[in-house]
Amino acid sequence: MNGGFETVRLEVSEAVATITLCRPERLNAFTRQMHAELREALAQVRAGRADGSVRVLVLTGAGRGFCAGQDLADRKPAADGSPPDLGASIEDNYKPLVLALRTLEMPVIAAVNGVAAGAGASLALACDVVFAARSASFIQAFSKLGLVPDTGGSWILPRLVGSARAMGLALFGERLGAEQAADWGLIWQCVDDDALMPTVSEVAQRLAAGPTRGYARTKQALWASISNDFETQLDLERDYMRELGRSEDYREGVAAFSEKRAPRFTGQ
Ligand code: LHQ
């Protein structure tokens, strides 16, 4: 697996892949280069899932920020001076990014080490589980630029915290601290700054030794439940159970239970 990027770092250890956004002097704001490299890093992680070498992904930021959203200086000026097509930037970069995370067949953990603003906040919330350092914060910076929450933000925010809080966050664009974010249910957990990476690493290693296919279907079922009606969801549960019931990990889980030993899941 290749770690030779400039704006992201990809490391794999004991089936845990860690992608670190790496433009610390700009709080890891997105440029076109970073989008391209992140896309390639995610493709390598996906390939790692297929060959069994990766079973969990951790996403974090270098330096004091997680991600400040779109780099507002990374503009390709139009030859005729016309305004930029932000829709094209969403279509080509941000939308595929969220879909790539959502469809990755493994748990994706965000380790939010510092400020997550604009599309950076949406990126964190597109992960399956979000841990944040106590000093980290979430800012729906879009409204200050006259834009709307993107990268799935307008969809996920009300579903996580309810309409009233989502509307306040999106319209006021104020900083929401990690502790309050956890209290509101925006994220899974707020931990002390120096405990962030050790905590995430311990959880990631635990998940990497677990039944990865089951985790993948669990993640997919829970995300799908947000828009499915009840009966559709029951059908989905049936289909996933049918598939998982034939998995090696299910056989192993039942065997380990009967033999009163710890299971040895392979992710198959
Ligand atoms: C930055 C940025 C940044 C460039 C910090 N760009 N340099 C999608 C599609 C297409 C286009 C439009 O947008 C979108 C979605 C979006 O993501 S819209 C939202 C874009 N992001 C923002 O508006 C956030 C802008 N940043 C901030 O408000 C602050 O930097 C925050 C509140 C994140 C952090 O504040 P501080 O901790 O005080 O840090 P700082 O402002 O001093 O930032 C450190 C450096 O990083 C600084 O550069 P400098 O040369 O002065 O040291 C900033 O200019 C630079 N930086 N965000 N998005």
Side-chain angles (χ1 to χ4, degrees):
M1 196 160 291
N2 172 17
F5 303 111
E6 283 178 16
T7 61
V8 303
R9 199 164 58 232
L10 170 61
E11 294 150 309
V12 180
S13 169
E14 294 174 44
V16 178
T18 302
I19 295 180
T20 306
L21 306 177
C22 247
R23 300 187 68 236
E25 70 292 348
R26 288 287 172 269
L27 302 179
N28 306 315
F30 273 106
T31 56
R32 278 163 291 162
Q33 181 186 4
M34 195 165 100
H35 271 297
E37 293 187 349
L38 183 53
R39 234 184 338 267
E40 173 55 27
L42 285 169
Q44 291 187 21
V45 169
R46 191 178 291 272
R49 172 66 193 118
D51 70 22
S53 61
V54 180
R55 293 166 67 179
V56 172
L57 172 63
V58 174
L59 190 59
T60 191
R64 70 178 179 88
F66 174 73
C67 175
Q70 169 66 32
D71 187 315
L72 298 171
D74 189 50
R75 288 263 183 277
K76 190 165 72 182
D80 62 357
S82 57
D85 180 357
L86 299 192
S89 164
I90 301 292
E91 188 64 33
D92 296 345
N93 297 307
Y94 291 96
K95 184 178 156 192
L97 170 59
V98 192
L99 290 175
L101 291 171
R102 187 57 60 80
T103 56
L104 207 53
E105 298 209 334
M106 66 180 79
V108 180
I109 305 174
V112 181
N113 52 302
V115 67
S122 302
L123 173 68
L125 301 180
C127 296
D128 302 315
V129 185
V130 185
F131 287 85
R134 203 166 298 283
S135 67
S137 55
F138 298 82
I139 307 175
Q140 296 299 314
F142 312 92
S143 60
K144 302 220 159 103
L145 301 171
L147 300 175
V148 296
D150 65 16
T151 317
S154 68
W155 187 87
I156 195 72
L157 270 180
R159 287 167 169 85
L160 289 172
V161 298
S163 303
R165 283 171 169 166
M167 201 62 91
L169 288 170
L171 290 179
F172 303 143
E174 287 168 6
R175 194 183 283 267
L176 182 74
E179 216 163 298
Q180 197 167 8
D183 288 347
W184 282 10
L186 187 76
I187 63 170
W188 168 241
Q189 217 174 88
C190 162
V191 298
D192 288 341
D193 287 12
D194 55 7
L196 178 68
M197 291 322 284
T199 302
V200 168
S201 172
E202 188 274 319
V203 169
Q205 276 162 19
R206 199 152 24 99
L207 288 174
T212 312
R213 269 176 77 174
Y215 292 153
R217 295 294 174 253
T218 299
K219 148 184 179 165
Q220 288 165 336
L222 291 182
W223 284 121
S225 77
I226 298 178
S227 35
N228 276 349
D229 64 34
F230 185 53
E231 204 169 335
T232 307
Q233 193 66 17
L234 289 174
D235 290 347
L236 189 69
E237 290 175 0
R238 175 204 58 214
D239 294 345
Y240 284 171
M241 289 299 258
R242 179 171 291 140
E243 175 201 327
L244 293 169
R246 295 172 178 144
S247 73
E248 188 50 40
D249 281 344
Y250 173 63
R251 196 201 56 70
E252 168 62 9
V254 173
F257 177 76
S258 325
E259 294 159 23
K260 299 189 189 300
R261 60 169 175 82
R264 289 180 294 272
F265 292 118
T266 60
Q268 300 309 309

